[in-house]
């Protein structure tokens, strides 16, 4: 965070510099105005006194009166300078504090983004290291074993392949996330039918649905949204994929859509394990997985899906929300501009 500290310091100096420049210019202007006014007054008074027809014996008194007027003018100007310097000093102190607070406030989002980036890199490397460490240990143990049989070698390779598949899935997730991080390409925007998106997404899950004897019940209207078709299909696929992953065999997933004012509302409900209230606020964060400790019926994943989904929805200026009852199921609701 050294970078942020030095940036805060520099920005504070810039803000303070601008404040002080304005303050000093203001002081000069005030000084000039007051100087002109005070000296014009004094000159007028002196001229008036000097024009008085006085006998010569009063000459000394007149001179001393004129002198006192000049002294008054000088002391008035000194007092003015003293006050202006005090004012500038106060501006320096208050402005310095204010500038620091303003600089911190300005740089806070940058600091937050850098922190999130750092956390993301740490999480990503941790997730990458875990399968690598598992593979390395298995290979090392196998290499030390002089009597390793062909069957054992095959089982080792099979286990390694599993880890490689996990790494591949992680790399794919990271790539999808990086792609979703970028802004929507205006050239890729088109009018997409909700029915078309659902049909395409549903066709990708035929095998998984059949394997788990699940039913994907899609009942959508003829709504259209404006967006990036590939991104929207990916969004729906993430939600259907989760609904399948976190639901028991033989359960049902319902997909519905409706027009709500200027938006199209799409809901995807499952009869799965549900999400605990404590996890709900975090499930859209990168690498967050609810119930990591649950070892039986463990579901593979890296906690990237919903953060990608959220990013796609944000890029389309939509909203995504979830309602869930543990043990009963979850409903994800998306709203997209029609
Ligand atoms: P992943 O599924 O790879 O763990 P996601 O970002 O897609 O990552 O989901 C984050 C977490 O939210 C999951 O680990 C899971 O605990 C929870 N979750 C997401 N969708 C569902 C769902 N339909 N039912 C139950 N839990 C879900």
């Amino acid at each position: 965070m050294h970078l942020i500290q030095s940036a805060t310091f520099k920005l504070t100096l810039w803000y303070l510099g601008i404040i002080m420049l304005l303050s000093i210019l203001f002081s000069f202007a005030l000084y000039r105005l007051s100087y002109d006014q005070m000296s014009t007054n004094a000159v007028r008074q002196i001229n008036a006194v000097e024009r008085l027809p006085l006998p010569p014996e009063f000459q000394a008194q007149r001179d001393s009166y004129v002198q006192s007027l000049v002294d008054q003018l000088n002391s008035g100007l000194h007092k003015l300078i003293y006050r202006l310097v005090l004012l500038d000093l106060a501006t320096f102190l208050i402005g310095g504090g204010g500038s620091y607070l303003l600089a911190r406030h300005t740089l806070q989002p940058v600091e937050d983004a850098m922190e999130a980036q750092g956390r993301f890199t740490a999480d990503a490397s941790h997730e990458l290291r875990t399968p690598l460490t598992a593979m390395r240990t298995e290979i090392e143990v196998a290499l030390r074993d002089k009597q390793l049989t062909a069957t054992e070698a095959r089982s080792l390779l099979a286990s390694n392949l599993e880890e490689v598949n996990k790494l591949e899935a992680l790399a794919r997730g990271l790539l999808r996330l990086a792609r979703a991080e970028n802004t929507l390409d205006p050239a890729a925007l088109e009018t997409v039918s909700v029915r078309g998106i659902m049909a395409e997404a549903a066709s990708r899950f035929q095998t998984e649905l059949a394997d788990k004897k699940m039913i994907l019940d899609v009942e959508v209207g003829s709504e259209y949204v404006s967006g990036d078709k590939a991104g929207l299909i990916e969004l729906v696929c993430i939600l259907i994929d989760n609904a399948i992953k976190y639901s028991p065999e033989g359960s049902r997933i319902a997909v519905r859509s409706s027009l709500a004012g200027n938006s199209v509302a799409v809901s995807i409900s499952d009869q799965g394990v549900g999400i605990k209230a404590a996890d709900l606020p975090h499930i859209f964060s990168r690498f967050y997985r609810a119930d990591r400790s649950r070892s039986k019926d463990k579901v593979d994943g890296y906690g990237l899906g919903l953060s990608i989904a959220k990013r796609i929805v944000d890029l389309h200026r939509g909203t995504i929300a979830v309602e869930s009852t543990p043990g009963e199921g979850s409903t994800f609701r998306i709203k997209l501009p029609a």
Side-chain angles (χ1 to χ4, degrees):
M1 285 300 110
H2 175 70
L3 196 72
I4 288 288
Q5 271 167 7
S6 98
T8 310
F9 180 68
K10 276 187 203 151
L11 201 58
T12 305
L13 283 188
W14 270 105
Y15 285 153
L16 187 59
I18 292 168
I19 292 173
M20 286 319 293
L21 186 73
L22 289 177
S23 171
I24 289 169
L25 281 178
F26 174 75
S27 301
F28 265 116
L30 201 67
Y31 178 76
R32 272 251 45 110
L33 270 176
S34 311
Y35 177 86
D36 287 348
Q37 206 170 23
M38 284 159 81
S39 53
T40 317
N41 272 347
V43 168
R44 204 182 296 131
Q45 274 176 296
I46 291 169
N47 284 342
V49 173
E50 286 192 331
R51 269 202 301 273
L52 281 178
L54 288 179
E57 60 266 36
F58 286 106
Q59 189 58 43
Q61 264 169 306
R62 179 177 16 214
D63 286 351
S64 93
Y65 184 67
V66 167
Q67 188 55 48
S68 84
L69 282 176
V70 172
D71 289 348
Q72 244 176 44
L73 174 67
N74 280 336
S75 97
L77 287 175
H78 282 145
K79 256 190 219 151
L80 180 66
I81 291 175
Y82 176 70
R83 282 190 191 140
L84 287 175
V85 168
L86 269 189
L87 186 75
D88 283 338
L89 216 62
T91 310
F92 180 77
L93 292 177
I94 298 170
S99 299
Y100 176 73
L101 292 179
L102 200 62
R104 280 212 53 85
H105 185 74
T106 313
L107 292 173
Q108 193 63 49
V110 181
E111 188 173 355
D112 291 349
M114 281 173 72
E115 245 177 62
Q117 196 63 42
R119 236 178 304 136
F120 174 69
T121 313
D123 286 348
S125 11
H126 174 79
E127 297 291 347
L128 282 168
R129 241 190 355 241
T130 314
L132 285 175
T133 313
M135 278 166 71
R136 183 208 189 101
T137 316
E138 284 177 347
I139 296 172
E140 278 174 355
V141 170
L143 282 179
R144 268 203 298 272
D145 185 354
K146 296 271 181 328
Q147 273 104 41
L148 187 77
T149 64
T151 324
E152 283 168 335
R154 286 189 78 82
S155 116
L156 168 80
L157 286 176
S159 151
N160 277 352
L161 189 62
E162 216 173 276
E163 301 297 341
V164 170
N165 285 341
K166 279 190 200 164
L167 280 171
E168 210 177 45
L170 176 58
R172 220 179 307 127
L174 289 173
L175 198 65
R176 274 156 67 203
L177 189 64
R179 227 181 282 137
E181 279 299 297
N182 302 330
T183 44
L184 267 188
D185 175 10
L189 283 186
E190 51 183 314
T191 305
V192 197
S193 95
V194 174
R195 198 169 275 153
I197 298 174
M198 294 306 167
E200 171 63 34
S203 74
R204 297 191 188 176
F205 290 100
Q206 291 311 321
T207 325
E208 285 90 338
L209 288 165
D211 284 351
K212 287 185 84 172
K213 300 179 187 62
M214 290 179 67
I215 292 169
L216 180 63
D217 162 22
V218 181
E219 238 179 67
V220 293
S222 49
E223 297 86 10
Y224 286 86
V225 291
S226 149
D228 162 33
K229 190 170 176 195
L232 292 172
I233 293 175
E234 173 158 28
L235 163 66
V236 172
C237 282
I238 291 170
L239 298 179
I240 296 181
D241 184 36
N242 278 350
I244 299 175
K245 278 198 307 192
Y246 299 104
S247 293
E249 278 197 8
S251 61
R252 173 185 285 268
I253 300 168
V255 180
R256 299 286 180 269
S257 78
S258 61
L259 200 63
N262 284 333
S263 324
V264 173
V266 175
S267 70
I268 296 172
S269 313
D270 63 51
Q271 302 170 321
V273 292
I275 305 163
K276 281 197 223 123
D279 290 318
L280 282 180
H282 309 292
I283 56 168
F284 293 103
S285 312
R286 294 160 174 176
F287 293 109
Y288 188 84
R289 304 205 68 208
D291 252 354
R292 278 168 185 267
S293 57
R294 194 177 50 195
S295 51
K296 83 175 168 66
D297 55 64
K298 198 175 180 325
V299 180
D300 274 347
Y302 287 100
L304 289 178
L306 287 182
S307 58
I308 297 171
K310 170 102 174 65
R311 186 69 197 139
I312 295 173
V313 170
D314 286 348
L315 287 177
H316 284 83
R317 299 185 193 291
T319 57
I320 182 166
V322 56
E323 294 150 25
S324 188
T325 314
E328 287 186 18
S330 318
T331 298
F332 284 84
R333 292 184 199 283
I334 310 164
K335 262 195 190 162
L336 294 167

